[in-house]
Structures are given as structure tokens and as C-alpha cells.
Amino acid sequence: MIVFAAVSTLLAVVLVGWLLWPARRRLRVSARDANIAIYRDQLRELESDLAAAKIAREDYERSRRELERRLLDDVAATEAPARLAVPWPAIAIIPVMAIAVYFVVGSPRMIQQEAEHAVTAQQVEAMVARLAAKLRENPDDAEGWKLLGRSYTAMQRFPEAANAYAQAATRSPRDAQLLADFADALAMARGQSLQGEPEKLVQRALEIDPKNLKALALLGTAAFERKDFQRAAEVWKRMLDVVPPGSEDARAIQGNIDEALALAGTAPSPAPKSAAKAGRALRGEVRLAEKLKSEAAPDDTVFIFARAVEGPPMPLAVLRKRVRDLPVTFALDDSMAMSPQATLSGFARVVVSARVSKSGSAMPQPGDLQGASAAVANDASGVRVVIDSVVR
């Protein structure tokens, strides 16, 4: 069982980081996806300016090359496997590989042999069924039940996953990660709600391991579901001690903390000192024109961003709010930069824009609402942005 335990533990870490991170709930912000969408937006605007003869061909080519270079840099810096876009048969290869090892403990070559063959949906189903049958014969195998739970989760068969995790938890009650996975699967099986038994499982996991990242994420989500936004922010703040400072995960977590604090009526917590560069902020207010208030829903996303008057077309700083927050005061600074090479303090004159996105996407869509300021200094205060036009 030593080989199986080592391999399945490694696979569990990979699968948890790839699939089971609760991105399908509150902590689903992907800086990489948002950045790519914004880059596409900038390229489309650049092409529109060229078509309208607002810029010269030389300027267009230079800006396009700069845009592509920064896009490649950003993707390389934040590269991660796509989660929700991957079909479950492909995702399920990871637990399936562990199942293969399970059946041939003592034969590590099986991993390579399995990897060399395409795994179809039917093969995945068959291997998982074999594992389930084996566990009925040997029900005391906690590691096997955990593996079955991960496999069912990858296949989005959440009731079966919850049952498998329950069997594993009975035999391994002090495994914090197992309890967090159990809570996640049980919540999904019960209509994506963490209230009740799933939250109790999360609390048990944190009693065992107070720094379990997934358990902290789920506990904060449970509080958010109850509209206890202050509690959600307090729990999610504990996650910042676990992830690397200034990382994409840290920024995503901080964004959720700020949103929870805003909903609680509390000013967002300041960005960690390690994540921000010293410098002054660009401050102002964003309002929605009276004539367009009927066109926006309270939960529509509002992107507030600054671009250089002369420089790269991508935003230098980005802030995300909701329509219900409007009118809202903002402060943009270098900690909100999409790229360390393109910061607000690096360009003297900027334009502040705001867009109401009905889809939640950073790329503008027909029907979105937008507005922009005049050109201002990068440390100006009292900047006013009125969202007063519709994207056609």
C-alpha cells in the first residue's frame, strides 16, 4: 500500500488544485481570464481606431506588438489549467490513473502504460465501476473510498461522491482535506448550499487543520450565503496567510474580501503592503446617468479602469464594483496593475473609464453601458466619470 498511498496523495494534491478549488462559487475570479478578455477588448478598439483613421498604421502596428507581447507575458506568468471548460472525461484521467495504480500496486509501469492510451468516457465509467465493486468487497479501505469520491467529483456525480467521502470519513475521521472535500461534494449534491451538515464538516476540518485552504474558502462561502458578509470577510482574510503574498490567488481572495466588506457596509481592507508599490492614487467618483438607471440591474458588474493617453492600450489599473454600489468613490493605484511593466505611476496622463457589464465579462458587449473622463494626471483627485452611453 506504500506505492498506492504515495501516488494517490500526489494525485489528490494535483486534482484539488485543479478541480476542487471552489472556483464555481464565490472564489471563482480568474485574473488570467479577465486579463485576456481585456486585452482582446483593447485590440478590438485599436483596430476600430485604425479603421476610422484615428491613428496611423505605424502607431497601430507598434501598439499591437506591445499588446501581444504583454499578453504573452501575462499568460506565461499566470498559466493554469482551464477548469470549467475541460470535459469531465479529460479531467477524470487523473483519478483514473490513480485507479489504475490501485489495481496494480507494485507495478508503477502501469502509469506510463495507461498514459499512452486514450481514455474514453466509457473506459472511465468502467474503471470507476470496478473501483466501486472492489470497495464493496473491501469496505475498510479508506484510501480507496477517497479515490472513488474524487473520481465521482471529477465526473460531477456529486451524490455518489458524497457517499464515497462519507465512507472514507468514517474510516479516517481526522483527515482535514477529506472532510473539506466531503463538504464540497455534499453541498453540490444538495443544490450548491453549504448550510447545515456541509458547514459542520468544514468546521471539523478547521479544528483539525486551521490553515486548510479549501476549508477556509468553504467556511467563508457559507457565511456569504447567509449574507453574513462581515464573517465571510474575516474567514477569507485567514486565507491570505496561507497563499503567497502578491500571487494571483491572493489578489482573487482580496477581491472577494473587498466585495464582502462592501456588502457589509465596511470600507474594503487596504491591499497588503507587499502587493502595492509606493505611490499616489488616482481618485474620483463614478456615477450612472439618470437616463440609463432603468437599463442596469443592481448585480451587474462595473469595471473601473485607467488607460494611458499615450502608451499601451491595456488598462494600467482595474477596479471591480457592482451597480448597486453606484455612485461610488474610487482610488486606483499601482497595486491594481495588470502587469508590473505597465503601472499607473509610469504614465503622466490617463483617462478613467467605467463600464457596466451585463454579462460580467471584461470584454464589452452590445447593450453594456459606459462612460469616460477627460485626460487627467495619474494622481488627480476629484475625477468624475458618468456612465452615459450604450455600447452598440
Side-chain angles (χ1 to χ4, degrees):
M1 295 301 293
I2 295 176
V3 173
F4 170 71
V7 175
S8 62
T9 298
L10 175 60
L11 292 169
V13 171
V14 173
L15 185 60
V16 166
W18 184 12
L19 178 67
L20 298 185
W21 174 266
R24 56 182 171 271
R25 296 196 184 92
R26 297 305 309 170
L27 297 179
R28 60 179 179 271
V29 177
S30 170
R32 176 181 178 274
D33 291 345
N35 289 353
I36 291 174
I38 291 175
Y39 288 138
R40 288 172 178 165
D41 173 21
Q42 308 315 310
L43 181 58
R44 187 168 71 174
E45 292 187 8
L46 196 61
E47 291 172 344
S48 296
D49 288 345
L50 177 64
K54 294 181 180 179
I55 59 174
R57 168 64 67 172
E58 293 78 11
D59 293 334
Y60 164 82
E61 294 293 343
R62 184 176 62 255
S63 296
R64 183 180 60 80
R65 287 193 297 270
E66 176 68 8
L67 179 62
E68 291 172 347
R69 185 183 67 80
R70 293 193 184 280
L71 173 58
L72 291 173
D73 289 345
D74 179 69
V75 171
T78 60
E79 187 71 291
R83 294 186 179 91
L84 301 182
V86 179
W88 73 258
I91 297 175
I93 288 175
I94 296 178
V96 165
M97 297 304 291
I99 293 172
V101 176
Y102 179 87
F103 285 126
V104 290
V105 172
S107 179
R109 291 193 303 274
M110 187 66 178
I111 295 177
Q112 181 177 352
Q113 294 169 4
E114 289 289 335
E116 290 172 352
H117 295 81
V119 181
T120 67
Q122 291 75 18
Q123 289 172 320
V124 171
E125 294 276 4
M127 295 186 77
V128 173
R130 286 176 57 200
L131 175 57
K134 187 175 182 67
L135 289 170
R136 286 194 292 271
E137 298 173 359
N138 182 25
D140 292 329
D141 186 353
E143 293 299 322
W145 285 114
K146 285 195 289 185
L147 180 55
L148 184 61
R150 289 196 295 273
S151 300
Y152 280 140
T153 299
M155 298 162 67
Q156 299 186 30
R157 293 167 56 177
F158 299 112
E160 293 101 320
N163 290 336
Y165 282 132
Q167 294 286 347
T170 299
R171 295 160 177 82
S172 185
R174 299 290 297 172
D175 187 330
Q177 187 60 49
L178 166 60
L179 293 174
D181 292 341
F182 183 10
D184 192 19
L186 187 59
M188 293 299 293
R190 294 184 177 182
Q192 301 187 36
S193 174
L194 286 159
Q195 307 308 307
E197 185 63 23
E199 185 173 4
K200 292 179 182 178
L201 288 168
V202 170
Q203 291 170 341
R204 282 172 51 194
L206 290 171
E207 289 174 1
I208 298 167
D209 179 8
K211 292 187 176 181
N212 185 279
L213 196 62
K214 183 172 184 178
L216 288 170
L218 293 175
L219 186 62
T221 299
F224 198 100
E225 287 179 0
R226 291 194 303 273
K227 300 188 184 303
D228 187 351
F229 304 119
Q230 188 68 41
R231 172 62 175 162
E234 291 171 357
V235 174
W236 286 336
K237 283 180 182 178
R238 292 160 60 185
M239 298 175 67
L240 294 175
D241 295 331
V242 183
V243 301
S247 66
E248 180 180 335
D249 285 338
R251 291 192 294 271
I253 293 166
Q254 187 64 53
N256 284 276
I257 293 170
D258 290 346
E259 182 178 358
L261 290 174
L263 291 171
T266 306
S269 56
K273 292 181 180 179
S274 59
K277 295 181 179 180
R280 294 166 291 182
L282 173 61
R283 304 179 185 275
E285 180 184 72
V286 173
R287 289 182 172 273
L288 180 59
E290 194 70 31
K291 66 180 181 180
L292 294 181
K293 286 187 176 180
S294 62
E295 302 294 325
D299 287 333
D300 286 348
T301 301
V302 179
F303 291 103
I304 304 170
F305 50 95
R307 291 183 188 149
V309 173
E310 296 181 359
M314 72 284 296
L316 305 174
V318 181
L319 179 63
R320 177 175 164 172
K321 293 290 183 180
R322 301 277 183 182
V323 167
R324 60 171 169 259
D325 300 325
L326 301 176
V328 64
T329 58
F330 65 84
L332 302 176
D333 59 37
D334 286 356
S335 69
M336 302 172 184
M338 294 169 53
S339 167
Q341 287 77 38
T343 58
L344 189 61
S345 62
F347 298 87
R349 301 284 289 174
V350 299
V351 171
V352 180
S353 299
R355 180 182 301 120
V356 174
S357 172
K358 298 181 179 297
S359 64
S361 170
M363 179 178 292
Q365 305 290 334
D368 287 353
L369 313 177
Q370 63 184 1
S373 73
V376 296
N378 64 5
D379 60 350
S381 59
V383 178
R384 292 177 58 83
V385 180
V386 179
I387 299 173
D388 57 2
S389 63
V390 180
V391 177
R392 302 298 182 186

